[in-house]
Amino acid sequence: MNTVQKKQAILFAVALALLISIPLTVSQLSQQQNENGHAAKGASLAFTPASSASSPIKAKVGDSIDIDINVDPGNSLVTFIRYQIQYDKSKVQLVNANPATLNSNVFTNVEGPVINTATLSQSVSIGSDPTKAISKVTKVATLHFKAIGSTNGGTTNITYGTLSQALSSGANDQANQNVLSTTTPAVITISGTGGPTDVPSSGPGPSTLPIPTITGTALNFSLLLHGVGAAGDNPNPTGNSLSNKNPLHPQRNLQITVYDTTNKVVANSQAPVTYDVTSGMFIGAVGLPSSVQTGNYSVKIQTDRYLRKLVPGIQQVVSGQQVTVAPVQLIAGDSNNDNVLNVLDYNAMLDCGYGQLNPLPMNDPNAVYNSTNCKVHTPTEDIDINDDGIINSTDYNLFLRELSVQNGD
């Protein structure tokens, strides 16, 4: 092989390597972007039949216009949707008897619709089974309009308002994150003559409480309580930017049970832990009785709203000294403190108003939280899972995201 042939062979090998490596590199970058959430496809709401300014839905005055609301979850797993529909009341009006027909095969809980001047709002969710989270394009509901005014050769739009929202149980999302990124309007042209008719209408800061000083044998804890402070949740433990940074209960009671190497209970103790705004964790020390001697122990911990957790690893206790335990994450959603996440916790949220279109704070006397249906659940304040003073879709979505762990240790 002469020099020219050798150069040609080398160039060919380099070109072949580039052809192979470039797609792999692009694929890896795309995967990294999706994992980081930067290039992930957000959820979208659109109408069917599809329409545009150049290809509008055509109707005549007096015609019925039925359009479907569809959700495309993108890379998310949608659990909850709130949609607000806006329209020109001089061109179309909702059918009074049945303005919206819900896709009840998918959505088992609904609030609304609430109709105000030229808007319709409704919230829907998949219920208590997180395996039914929406992972493909799905019809949400069918809206029933009537054409009442000519567009005179132009068009009128039915759009999604700013209250529209979608929540997800996906691993790259957060419990309080609105994953709805795009909405597409319905464009309608109406011919004929006619005028509008009346449309029916419906009308604390971080704690400064000192952490108690413990003398003698003690365990120092730093707790990451899911949905609060620096904690994320089960699918996304580090996703904390939308977690509640101002919990209404900055001091919690922590209960611990200590077991020896034969799994015998040697101590039950409790003490307060206090929210530290700097770290976003609940910090405190729990003293142990003198009967707990130097040795190796396992420890289970529990606080209100959270499942009991076996602290990972063996704790090497030294009599008379304080031992610092590595930070522990606790699973949220145990509203009745029975150490299980199940339909009882879901029913409590449902009865206390999580699906309300405009949920009121718990301290508002008109809030569903203060109704008889809610008060049968105890303790009612623990139904507010992320401790922000309002029982809403965030609590519901956080509960669903935590359900991969249903039983405490």
Side-chain angles (χ1 to χ4, degrees):
M1 180 181 294
N2 58 36
T3 303
V4 173
Q5 289 175 324
K6 288 181 179 179
K7 289 182 178 179
Q8 290 175 338
I10 293 172
L11 289 173
F12 177 79
V14 172
L16 181 61
L18 288 172
L19 287 173
I20 294 173
S21 64
I22 289 174
L24 288 174
T25 302
V26 171
S27 175
Q28 290 172 348
L29 286 174
S30 176
Q31 183 178 3
Q32 290 172 357
Q33 286 178 321
N34 283 332
E35 290 174 350
N36 293 331
H38 298 311
K41 178 185 176 185
S44 61
L45 289 173
F47 293 107
T48 300
S51 58
S52 64
S54 59
S55 182
I57 299 170
K58 296 181 180 179
K60 297 179 181 178
V61 172
D63 285 353
S64 296
I65 305 173
D66 292 343
I67 56 175
D68 292 339
I69 298 174
N70 292 313
V71 59
D72 182 346
N75 292 335
S76 297
L77 296 172
V78 172
T79 60
F80 175 91
I81 297 168
R82 181 176 63 213
Y83 60 84
Q84 180 188 43
I85 305 300
Q86 299 175 328
Y87 53 91
D88 184 345
K89 65 177 184 177
S90 69
K91 306 302 180 187
V92 296
Q93 71 176 23
L94 288 162
V95 176
N96 294 346
N98 183 29
T101 302
L102 182 69
N103 180 1
S104 56
N105 291 326
V106 177
F107 300 99
T108 58
N109 185 57
V110 57
E111 179 69 26
V114 173
I115 302 172
N116 291 310
T117 303
T119 66
L120 175 147
S121 301
Q122 189 169 40
S123 67
V124 297
S125 68
I126 62 168
S128 60
D129 186 353
T131 65
K132 294 182 180 179
I134 298 168
S135 59
K136 61 182 180 181
V137 177
T138 301
K139 183 173 79 171
V140 179
T142 301
L143 301 178
H144 307 292
F145 287 95
K146 181 179 180 180
I148 60 171
S150 173
T151 56
N152 300 313
T155 59
T156 186
N157 290 349
I158 297 175
T159 61
Y160 294 96
T162 56
L163 290 181
S164 299
Q165 178 190 48
L167 300 179
S168 165
S169 61
N172 290 325
D173 306 317
Q174 298 183 44
N176 196 27
Q177 181 179 353
N178 184 3
V179 298
L180 182 62
S181 60
T182 59
T183 60
T184 304
V187 183
I188 304 172
T189 182
I190 303 172
S191 60
T193 58
T197 57
D198 291 335
V199 179
S201 62
S202 68
S207 173
T208 57
L209 294 173
I211 299 174
T213 300
I214 302 292
T215 58
T217 309
L219 297 176
N220 296 327
F221 290 96
S222 298
L223 306 182
L224 288 157
L225 303 187
H226 281 184
V228 178
D233 52 36
N234 263 341
N236 191 0
T238 60
N240 58 36
S241 61
L242 298 177
S243 295
N244 177 24
K245 301 299 190 294
N246 294 290
L248 291 181
H249 297 83
Q251 191 171 81
R252 313 286 182 91
N253 186 54
L254 178 65
Q255 302 173 5
I256 75 168
T257 304
V258 182
Y259 302 80
D260 64 15
T261 54
T262 66
N263 207 34
K264 177 184 177 181
V265 175
V266 296
N268 285 292
S269 297
Q270 59 183 357
V273 289
T274 303
Y275 182 64
D276 175 54
V277 67
T278 302
S279 66
M281 294 189 286
F282 284 78
I283 298 174
V286 182
L288 300 178
S290 58
S291 57
V292 179
Q293 300 298 309
T294 298
N296 296 328
Y297 299 90
S298 57
V299 179
K300 292 182 180 180
I301 62 176
Q302 186 173 28
T303 189
D304 290 346
R305 297 180 175 87
Y306 293 84
L307 295 179
R308 184 168 61 237
K309 177 69 176 288
L310 174 63
V311 177
I314 299 298
Q315 308 307 314
Q316 297 178 332
V317 174
V318 178
S319 180
Q321 296 184 17
Q322 295 194 19
V323 177
T324 298
V325 178
V328 184
Q329 299 211 23
L330 296 185
I331 307 299
D334 185 13
S335 65
N336 59 357
N337 296 311
D338 63 357
N339 204 34
V340 180
L341 302 187
N342 58 18
V343 71
L344 297 179
D345 302 295
Y346 169 76
N347 286 341
M349 285 187 292
L350 189 62
D351 290 342
C352 294
Y354 86 75
Q356 292 284 302
L357 291 170
N358 293 294
L360 297 173
M362 293 156 56
N363 59 9
D364 189 311
N366 296 314
V368 179
Y369 172 79
N370 293 305
S371 67
T372 303
N373 285 344
C374 178
K375 291 302 182 182
V376 298
H377 302 282
T378 55
T380 50
E381 67 176 12
D382 287 351
I383 300 169
D384 176 23
I385 299 175
N386 71 340
D387 198 26
D388 64 353
I390 187 167
I391 298 172
N392 58 11
S393 56
T394 298
D395 299 297
Y396 162 73
N397 197 46
L398 177 59
F399 173 78
L400 285 190
R401 292 172 66 87
E402 298 284 69
L403 270 178
S404 58
V405 178
Q406 292 183 300
N407 296 283
D409 296 328

